[in-house]
DNA sequence: CTTTAAACGGAATCGGATTCCGATTCCGCA
DNA sequence: TGCGGAATCGGAATCCGATTCCGTTTAAAG
């Protein structure tokens, strides 16, 4: 919440965060705290004051990513003609994000098992998700009993599949989407 | 392949493997090599001769689990009346396995990102999966264009969802299954 | 009952995250 | 503009846990 008043502190915090993101993207889990510090032009102590733990640093990087998803959900999704299309766009976006950024995803997955969003971004995501599901219920393009949790799980599944290299995740988007559209009935 | 000739070696290898499994189940990623050694009643050196790396040990534990899935696939699945039912049983089984054993799954996920089976067990799984998909194609209970990769991805997704606590994975089994049954068509 | 290659135990080593603390800066205030 | 001191810095020192090393012990072939 309360940003520190000293401007250099905030500047350093950002520098560290960005550098960490880049390094993780390049070399994944093998980058060490001292490297991040060096590349950011600060001492290890500084890195640790801003991010008390390596996991905290990774968490911050992860949050940036969730923020991107959130803004997509807020800006692009409403533009889609129907809820189903919006969900498809969402899943695809998440997949693409993890596909490039694969290395970063790996780091996140290794630090936290899985990767559910936390904090206000998490709340906001949940809220937007609920809205999307609601929309689907009313415009009838999603099965009537979908829940945010269903959506959440689908997103998580796509995220996981798109950064591991098991099969064509775009294919899975189709499958999940078909499942979300409506229950099977002969 | 070639089991060592000395019987004590083989006995120790098993002891270590089982103890590791138990400890991982109890306390997850925090158990350390020295503990495993102590609990197994051997020295650290012994643990390392059998499993040259912590990751290797975790990998061996993981393989045991894959072996269970394989035997399920070989024994229970053929008994199901149709391919779709078999897939449902498979997904459910995988989910249950990861739900109890949650801690173990966490350890595996932390050591390897994701968790694709390796070696002969992996091959065998792939083969059985292919057979199942084939069956689905011919009895018509799965959509005509499913692939082993689709099945693989679904299994992976359920595994991931059932050991993280994001939503009701059984629900997701339904969704994925609906997607695997047939493509959407208005 | 030797012989000997293989297995054992566990102290020592190594690598990397985290802590500590004296030296340096910003910021508000006179 | 100049000063006081709290917050920030940097990076050497510490801590912790995985991994290596090597002298000792042991199963099993002849």
């Amino acid at each position: 919440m309360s940003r520190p008043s000293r401007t250099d502190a905030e500047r350093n915090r950002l520098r560290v965060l960005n550098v960490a993101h880049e390094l993780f993207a390049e070399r994944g889990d093998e980058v060490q705290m001292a490297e991040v510090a060096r590349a950011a032009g600060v001492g290890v102590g500084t890195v640790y004051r801003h991010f008390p733990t390596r996991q905290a640093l990774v968490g911050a990087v992860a949050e940036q990513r969730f923020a991107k998803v959130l803004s997509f959900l807020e800006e692009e999704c409403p533009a889609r003609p129907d809820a189903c299309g919006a969900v498809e766009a969402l899943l695809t976006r998440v997949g693409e994000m993890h596909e490039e950024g694969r290395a970063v995803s790996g780091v996140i997955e290794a630090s936290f098992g899985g990767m559910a969003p936390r904090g206000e971004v998490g709340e906001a995501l949940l809220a937007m998700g609920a809205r999307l599901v609601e929309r689907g219920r009313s415009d009838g393009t999603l099965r009537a009993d979908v829940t945010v949790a269903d959506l959440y799980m689908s997103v998580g599944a796509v995220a996981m599949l798109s950064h591991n290299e098991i099969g064509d995740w775009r294919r899975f988007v189709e499958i999940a989407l078909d499942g979300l559209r409506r229950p099977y009935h002969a």
Side-chain angles (χ1 to χ4, degrees), chain A:
Chain A
M1 314 297 139
S2 57
R3 308 276 90 176
S5 58
R6 279 178 67 157
T7 57
D8 58 338
E10 181 61 354
R11 177 168 43 71
N12 280 337
R13 183 193 154 82
L14 274 204
R15 230 206 262 289
V16 169
L17 192 54
N18 292 331
V19 164
H21 196 313
E22 277 169 37
L23 290 183
F24 285 151
E26 277 168 37
R27 306 213 317 290
D29 216 22
E30 80 183 24
V31 326
Q32 27 192 104
M33 296 304 268
E35 269 184 287
V36 174
R38 189 161 359 106
V42 302
V44 243
T46 299
V47 173
Y48 274 91
R49 187 153 341 79
H50 292 299
F51 308 96
T53 237
R54 183 190 154 111
Q55 176 172 277
L57 175 57
V58 174
V61 169
E63 188 167 348
Q64 286 191 313
R65 192 176 279 203
F66 284 122
K68 273 194 200 167
V69 175
L70 178 58
S71 76
F72 180 81
L73 213 38
E74 288 172 335
E75 287 156 29
E76 316 272 336
C77 283
R80 302 280 158 169
D82 60 48
C84 185
V87 171
E88 179 171 16
L90 172 65
L91 294 181
T92 302
R93 187 63 191 293
V94 168
E96 285 168 349
M97 186 175 278
H98 284 265
E99 186 172 52
E100 66 174 78
R102 193 163 295 178
V104 181
S105 306
V107 177
I108 297 174
E109 183 166 353
S111 288
F112 305 72
M115 32 185 156
R118 302 272 162 193
E120 25 182 331
V121 176
E123 305 287 303
L125 277 172
L126 218 44
M128 291 306 297
R131 191 174 307 183
L132 182 50
V133 165
E134 187 45 52
R135 183 177 166 203
R137 262 200 280 262
S138 61
D139 77 6
T141 57
L142 296 180
R143 51 197 277 181
D145 62 347
V146 265
T147 65
V148 208
D150 294 341
L151 183 59
Y152 235 52
M153 289 193 285
S154 304
V155 170
V158 170
M160 176 278 217
L161 291 170
S162 57
H163 89 92
N164 289 299
E165 273 178 17
I166 159 182
D168 174 7
W169 63 268
R170 286 171 193 276
R171 188 65 201 287
F172 189 80
V173 168
E174 259 183 62
I175 293 176
L177 210 57
D178 284 349
L180 289 171
R181 272 165 173 145
R182 62 176 194 194
Y184 179 74
H185 125 277

